[in-house]
């Protein structure tokens, strides 16, 4: 993904219960902070200088990742690639909504298979 590309990143979390260095937990800070079960990210890769949703087409690389919130995940994020559609179903969000509907439908249904390094 090097060589003049810009990355537009949308990320978040959902669910309850993750596993950290002190083991599994649903909350931290005396119950004031919920520990999410999953962490997700969507990356839209565009050539440098293209900043508009109109620049996104059916050939645009979109990487969607949905990983468990566990220390054991490590750097092998490629194993957690999914579709944007699956993330929308899990979170209730409408991601990439500024992209043309036909393009959005194509991109959101595709699992990225590009390089991870």
């Amino acid at each position: 993904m090097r060589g003049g590309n810009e990355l537009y990143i949308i990320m978040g979390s959902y669910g309850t219960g993750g596993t950290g260095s002190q083991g599994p937990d649903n909350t931290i800070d005396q119950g004031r902070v919920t520990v999410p079960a999953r962490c997700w990210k969507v990356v839209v890769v565009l050539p440098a200088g293209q900043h508009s949703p109109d620049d996104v087409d059916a050939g645009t690389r979109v990487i969607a990742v949905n990983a468990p919130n566990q220390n054991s995940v490590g750097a092998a994020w490629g194993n957690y690639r999914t579709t944007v559609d699956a993330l929308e179903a899990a979170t209730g969000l409408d991601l990439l909504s500024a992209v043309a509907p036909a393009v959005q439908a194509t991109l959101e249904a595709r699992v990225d298979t590009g390089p991870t390094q």
Side-chain angles (χ1 to χ4, degrees), residues 1-7 45-48 61 115-117:
M1 288 191 300
R2 297 169 208 233
N5 289 320
E6 295 182 9
L7 307 179
V45 182
L46 288 172
R61 185 174 183 193
T116 61
Q117 300 271 327

Side-chain angles (χ1 to χ4, degrees), residues 79-96:
N79 297 330
Y80 298 98
R81 286 185 276 194
T82 187
T83 65
V84 174
D85 283 336
L87 289 176
E88 289 178 331
T91 64
L93 298 172
D94 183 12
L95 304 167
L96 308 183

Side-chain angles (χ1 to χ4, degrees), residues 55-78:
D55 295 324
V56 176
D57 62 30
T60 299
R61 185 174 183 193
V62 175
I63 306 163
V65 178
N66 187 13
N69 185 18
Q70 299 174 350
N71 284 358
S72 61
V73 169
W77 62 267

